[in-house]
Amino acid sequence: MNIRKALWNFYSSIYPFYLRKIYKMDIGNGVIISYKANLDKSINPKGIHIGDFTWVLANSFILAHDHSRGIKTDTYIGSHCVIGISSIIMPGIKIGDHVVIGSGAVVTKDVESNCIVVGNPAKKIKEGVHLNNKGQIVEYL
């Protein structure tokens, strides 16, 4: 394993600990969050809830407030999910377990469990998805 990969693995595994302790976010066990991910740390950091073994990839946004509409609410992401690169999760959204949010998707409505969503706005393209602890699809149910 090269040094860059080892450092990324180390930093992305301790970053959730930092977010739990400093910002009081509700982040489950085994969560991997890229240090380049953008979680709502300014207005409502306690409104971010992420389940066990979820991966939040680079440049994704998870919001828990919307200044223009005066909304301060909780955003829930289930267990065994993958939040793709440059995706946006709007405030107040509930994402089920075993969900893949495609790269660049904008999630504006709740997402049921065991599916893949892509696009702007995000739409379901596949059902019956099951992911392992590393965020990889292992089977279609």
Side-chain angles (χ1 to χ4, degrees):
M1 180 180 340
N2 64 28
I3 293 173
R4 186 179 63 86
K5 185 174 182 181
L7 286 173
W8 186 90
N9 287 338
F10 173 73
Y11 190 71
S12 61
S13 65
I14 64 165
Y15 190 47
F17 175 79
Y18 169 78
L19 294 172
R20 277 186 212 104
K21 294 300 177 194
I22 302 301
Y23 293 101
K24 308 298 183 205
M25 291 183 185
D26 177 22
I27 298 175
N29 296 319
V31 172
I32 300 293
I33 301 176
S34 169
Y35 65 92
K36 293 182 181 180
N38 300 284
L39 281 68
D40 195 346
K41 295 184 260 190
S42 61
I43 304 297
N44 189 21
K46 292 180 184 177
I48 304 287
H49 306 274
I50 301 174
D52 298 337
F53 302 107
T54 290
W55 289 60
V56 181
L57 304 180
N59 301 322
S60 56
F61 285 83
I62 301 174
L63 303 172
H65 87 283
D66 183 346
H67 176 75
S68 64
R69 296 184 292 161
I71 296 173
K72 183 177 170 184
T73 185
D74 290 350
T75 302
Y76 294 90
I77 299 172
S79 298
H80 295 90
C81 294
V82 174
I83 309 302
I85 294 172
S86 299
S87 60
I88 301 171
I89 312 296
M90 297 301 288
I93 298 299
K94 291 181 176 74
I95 296 173
D97 298 331
H98 297 276
V99 172
V100 176
I101 307 294
S103 296
V106 179
V107 182
T108 59
K109 295 181 182 174
D110 292 351
V111 178
E112 63 187 52
S113 294
N114 301 98
C115 67
I116 299 173
V117 297
V118 299
N120 180 7
K123 292 187 170 107
K124 180 171 48 173
I125 62 165
K126 178 83 68 182
E127 293 180 338
V129 174
H130 186 81
L131 289 89
N132 64 17
N133 291 352
K134 295 182 179 182
Q136 300 164 330
I137 297 172
V138 292
E139 64 182 74
Y140 295 108
L141 303 174

